[in-house]
Each structure stands twice: as structure tokens, then as C-alpha cells.
Amino acid sequence: MYQIEEHLAPLPGVITNSLLDESSSDNDSSVEVMSIVDENEYELIKWTNYLQLNSDSDDDSDDNYSSTQPALLVNYSSSESSSDEEELLQSSHQAASSNNNSIVDTTSSSTSTTINKRKRRQWTVNEKLNAIIYFEKNNNKSKTANDIGCATKQLRMWIKNKDELIKLSSQKKGKKRMRRNGAGKKLIYVDLDSRLLTWYRQKRTAPGSTTTPITDIRKEKVTFRYLQRRGRQISQELNHPCPSSKWFGRFLVRHRLSLQRPKRQQKIPLDEVHQKATSFYNYLRRASRWAPKRGPMGAFTPRDVFNMDESPLALFGDQAKRSINDINTCNEVEGCLSNKRFCTVILTVSGEDQRVDPVLLFKGKGHISPNEQKQYANVDCLSLNINEDDDEEQIQNAATLAAEQDKIILNEKNKQLKLTDLWKK
DNA sequence: ACCAACATTTCGGCGGAGTA
DNA sequence: TACTCCGCCGAAATGTTGGT
């Protein structure tokens, strides 16, 4: 607690108890840096104004603070509509009177020295904006500074930084802020910070981005562990030690990010699912009409009955539930990892215990790249192409083709058996 | 989450110079 | 004389870091 009225205590003829009580309710923002007053000159101070200043404030809240600082009487955000010039002037005059108090006029009649130190105080963003408004009304910096109670240089700086102050004022708690952004110790791992943010933005497009086409908006899941792993890699590349886990937590705060539960997008819209199901049902009806002669199972033999199951290949390691996301935005996460060659393994066995080779399904269209062909060379890759509009003729052709393939497989098996027999012998 | 230590920047106050 | 601008100095807000 700063005791700005400390020098009032020895005033002659003043009940000091009440003063001290009042001064105990002083605000935090009024800071006395210098109080150069000769003891002989206390009587020159208009102490009654001090009494008036603190008469209505009983606690330390900023609201009460504003009541003692008339510049705050005008709310910047609403001043355009609600406050007229008279109101401004009135508040400013009050400010002027209070300001005169804060300037300790030591121009003494008895002493030759002239000390005119202004009591140092801090101005909130809102107060600064109010001062700017007042200046814009009268277009006179000196008068404004005098009326408001600040130095002209201060006013100049406030006017110069008006846009930034308005921006600050619109932020949460911005109105009560004292200073603009930018102070504080500088970040040590600047490169890591920027590169990590760039990487994160590649994974998840910034909300409200106007430059990114809708088709390129990324919503990949980025977990905290994933972020740290990437941070370690970047740190190695930059040849500096990886910062602590806490650094990554602050990274999130710095860039207004947070860990949130993802809202997953549906892989296929419901209407699309309905369409596909109907199509499959029609196919079954056509097939059952086509070949009743094939046995008691209608169109199908035990060889036609397959048990097929698919499973995603876990190419990603981090299965954390939460994903990093920009604060106050919807945390949408894609159903699968879009930029990885995420694949699905399909295993199938028929009613006659015929096992089909594993099938790998990759995301996207066309053939896999030569690199990936090498990577997955150990597995035979089959690509399935099911046409929903298959007619009976196509079904028949497919059946013929399947029978031929079966023959080929059987022949190869026989050959293999013969070879193994030979090898054993 | 809280704290302390530290670094960095902004800000407030002042004096002085220039100009109309 | 009034007004405006600039530079200097020190206070303090702001932000980072590491520890508990």
C-alpha cells in the first residue's frame, strides 16, 4: 500500500486520525515517487482537497479508484454514445482539481527554490483512452493534459499508441491494464518457439484463417506428448537442450492454446451410409435371383461366405484423448491422420477355410508411391474396386474369374507340395 | 499453482529547446 | 507566452525461467 497522503500527517489543525483512516483506503495505483516538500510549507497544501479525494473510498477496489480519478468516469467503450462533451468537461474539471492536489506546489513565498514535482501515478488503459477522447474534443494537448492531470508527453504517447490501447481495452482485463504488451524478459528459445508454432499450424489451421482455402484446413489431433516430441526434434536440430515440460505448457499459454477434448468429425455422413446400405441390399437381391441352381444357399456356396474383418494399422503412437487447440474455438479433430499414409488391414477367411491374403487399404486414390511399394513389399497389396452398379452379367463374370483364380491357386499349391516332397526326399 | 529471481520494456516526470 | 517535441532517468509492469 502506497501512502500518498503521508505528508499530510503533520498538517496543523487537522485531525490526523481521520486522515490516516482515509488514507488507509488509498488505491494501489497512485504511487508517490517523490515528495519534495519543505516542512515549513505544508500549510500551502490544499489539504481539504485531499479529504475530498478520499472521502468516498473505503476499499482498494478499482471501481473506487476510478471514483477518485475522474478521468475514469467516462467509459471508453460506451463514451461515443452515452457521454457528451459536457460530461467529459465536467469529469475533466474534477480531474483538474484532483490533479492540482497531486501536484505539490512548493512555490514558496519565503524560500527561493521552486519545486513542482508531480506525484507519480499509473494510468490504466481506460483512463488513457478517456484522455484521448477529451483531447479529440478540444484538440489541445496542453489543456487536455492540464485538465486530465497528466503530462503532455504522456498524452502524446497515449495518442500515438491509441490503436494499441483500444485493442488492449477490448481484451479481457485490458481496461485495467497499466501498460502495453511487449515488456518482460525475452524468450530464450525463440527459434524453437516459432518453428514449433509453425509446425502446429501445419497440423491445425488457425481458426478464422482467411488465407487458407477451405480444402486445406487441417484439424489433425496434436497431443501434448506429440508437441513435446516435435519440440525435442527441433531442439536437436537447433543444437540446444530441450526445454522442460513446463516450457511447453507455457508455450500453449503464450499462443493462447490449450488441451481440449476433441470433437470428432463423422467419417461418413448418415445419408451417405444409408445410400451405401441400400445399394448393398439391392446387390444381394439381384444376386439371389441370378443363381438359385447353385445349391440350398441360393446364389451362394460355402466358398462364397466370407468372414472379413478390418483393423487400422496403428502408425501413430500417441493415443491421448485430448488435443491441443486454440482457446475459445471448436476442437474439431479428423477421424484419421490426414497427412500420414494411414492404412487399414483386412483379413478374410471363407466358409471352406480358404484364407485370402491380407489386404492393405490406403487412404487416397490411385496407386501407392514407389517408396511405399518398397516399404510394404513384404505384403501383397490388392486393390478392391466395387462398383455399386454391378449387373448380373458382371456378377457372373466375377464368379467365373474367381473360379479361374481358385484353379490357379490350387495348381500352385499342388506344385508347392510336389516341390516340398522333392526337398524332403 | 505458487513463488522468487531475473531480464526487459514501458511509462511517468522533468528539463530544455524550438516555433508560432 | 503558449504550445509542442525530444531526451534522460528511474520506477515498475510485464514476462520468462526454474524451483517447490
Side-chain angles (χ1 to χ4, degrees):
Chain A
M1 175 66 70
Y2 305 97
Q3 305 238 341
I4 64 165
E5 271 72 55
E6 211 173 352
H7 57 287
L8 292 176
L11 276 175
V14 176
I15 303 168
T16 55
N17 284 344
S18 62
L19 264 174
L20 287 171
D21 289 342
E22 301 278 351
S23 64
S24 68
S25 65
D26 193 12
N27 57 71
D28 290 337
S29 303
S30 297
V31 182
E32 181 179 21
V33 174
M34 300 190 93
S35 179
I36 305 171
V37 183
D38 286 350
E39 285 186 7
N40 299 335
E41 294 165 353
Y42 279 136
E43 289 181 67
L44 294 172
I45 299 170
K46 296 175 183 173
W47 53 269
T48 49
N49 287 333
Y50 281 97
L51 286 173
Q52 193 179 356
L53 251 180
N54 289 322
S55 60
D56 56 349
S57 62
D58 288 318
D59 57 37
D60 289 334
S61 72
D62 287 342
D63 292 338
N64 284 324
Y65 169 66
S66 68
S67 70
T68 64
Q69 302 297 331
L72 257 185
L73 288 175
V74 181
N75 185 325
Y76 183 78
S77 56
S78 61
S79 60
E80 297 292 340
S81 56
S82 64
S83 69
D84 54 11
E85 194 159 1
E86 274 183 27
E87 211 172 313
L88 265 172
L89 282 170
Q90 196 178 3
S91 66
S92 302
H93 285 316
Q94 290 172 352
S97 64
S98 65
N99 173 54
N100 289 339
N101 301 327
S102 61
I103 296 176
V104 183
D105 184 6
T106 58
T107 313
S108 161
S109 57
S110 59
T111 59
S112 58
T113 55
T114 301
I115 307 164
N116 202 2
K117 289 274 182 187
R118 187 191 305 276
K119 288 163 70 65
R120 191 187 177 108
R121 56 156 295 192
Q122 297 283 323
W123 301 78
T124 63
V125 170
N126 227 24
E127 287 175 300
K128 291 170 186 175
L129 288 169
N130 286 329
I132 293 171
I133 289 175
Y134 186 50
F135 163 73
E136 285 169 349
K137 301 271 181 187
N138 62 21
N139 205 25
N140 186 327
K141 285 179 185 169
S142 292
K143 186 177 184 306
T144 305
N146 197 36
D147 289 352
I148 296 294
C150 65
T152 50
K153 186 202 168 185
Q154 287 173 257
L155 187 62
R156 269 203 313 279
M157 294 301 292
W158 298 344
I159 292 166
K160 186 181 165 189
N161 299 315
K162 181 186 171 187
D163 291 343
E164 207 171 332
L165 291 173
I166 291 172
K167 204 174 171 183
L168 263 178
S169 173
S170 63
Q171 290 173 2
K172 196 180 180 183
K173 294 182 181 175
K175 287 176 183 176
K176 290 179 182 175
R177 259 184 79 113
M178 296 295 181
R179 298 185 176 190
R180 296 183 290 139
N181 293 325
K185 188 175 179 177
K186 290 299 164 197
L187 197 61
I188 294 176
Y189 307 112
V190 182
D191 289 343
L192 172 64
D193 189 82
S194 64
R195 283 183 62 175
L196 201 57
L197 185 66
T198 307
W199 171 82
Y200 169 76
R201 284 287 167 235
Q202 283 172 358
K203 301 286 175 191
R204 297 183 65 81
T205 306
S209 171
T210 51
T211 53
T212 312
I214 295 172
T215 50
D216 287 348
I217 288 176
R218 315 303 289 261
K219 290 290 180 188
E220 191 170 318
K221 183 175 170 183
V222 178
T223 64
F224 190 73
R225 198 184 299 177
Y226 194 17
L227 183 83
Q228 275 187 297
R229 203 182 306 147
R230 182 62 191 152
R232 271 197 295 274
Q233 288 173 1
I234 296 173
S235 296
Q236 279 180 355
E237 289 168 19
L238 295 171
N239 286 324
H240 65 64
C242 182
S244 65
S245 173
K246 227 159 49 169
W247 186 92
F248 291 94
R250 285 193 294 262
F251 171 85
L252 300 185
V253 175
R254 219 170 14 247
H255 300 291
R256 289 188 57 76
L257 305 171
S258 67
L259 274 170
Q260 301 168 13
R261 289 189 183 280
K263 175 193 169 191
R264 283 192 179 274
Q265 290 177 332
Q266 281 184 307
K267 285 182 181 177
I268 305 172
L270 274 178
D271 52 344
E272 217 172 297
V273 170
H274 183 257
Q275 197 182 343
K276 285 183 186 298
T278 309
S279 171
F280 183 61
Y281 176 67
N282 289 338
Y283 165 74
L284 290 179
R285 277 182 56 188
R286 286 205 299 270
S288 60
R289 276 204 307 270
W290 163 63
K293 56 190 173 187
R294 291 186 71 174
M297 290 176 66
F300 308 104
T301 65
R303 281 186 58 228
D304 295 327
V305 179
F306 286 85
N307 182 14
M308 189 171 99
D309 203 356
E310 67 170 41
S311 175
L313 206 61
L315 297 177
F316 47 96
D318 205 329
Q319 295 290 314
K321 286 178 182 174
R322 291 190 294 177
S323 171
I324 297 169
N325 187 41
D326 291 86
I327 291 172
N328 293 332
T329 61
C330 179
N331 191 13
E332 285 179 323
V333 170
E334 288 169 355
C336 61
L337 302 181
S338 57
N339 68 339
K340 286 190 176 174
R341 297 294 287 177
F342 174 76
C343 68
T344 301
V345 184
I346 299 178
L347 300 173
T348 313
V349 59
S350 79
E352 289 185 345
D353 199 28
Q354 280 182 310
R355 298 180 184 220
V356 178
D357 289 331
V359 177
L360 280 178
L361 289 181
F362 287 89
K363 187 174 180 288
K365 292 179 179 178
H367 298 289
I368 60 174
S369 68
N371 286 342
E372 285 168 339
Q373 276 183 1
K374 282 183 190 172
Q375 193 178 348
Y376 302 106
N378 294 333
V379 183
D380 289 337
C381 298
L382 303 176
S383 63
L384 297 178
N385 186 13
I386 298 171
N387 189 348
E388 292 176 8
D389 298 327
D390 275 354
D391 54 12
E392 294 174 9
E393 196 177 342
Q394 281 177 317
I395 295 168
Q396 193 170 7
N397 290 340
T400 314
L401 200 66
E404 284 173 3
Q405 280 178 343
D406 285 348
K407 278 181 188 175
I408 293 168
I409 291 168
L410 202 63
N411 287 338
E412 282 182 355
K413 274 184 181 173
N414 289 335
K415 279 179 191 173
Q416 279 179 351
L417 280 172
K418 283 173 187 173
L419 280 171
T420 48
D421 287 344
L422 278 171
W423 179 253
K424 282 175 183 173
K425 285 171 185 176

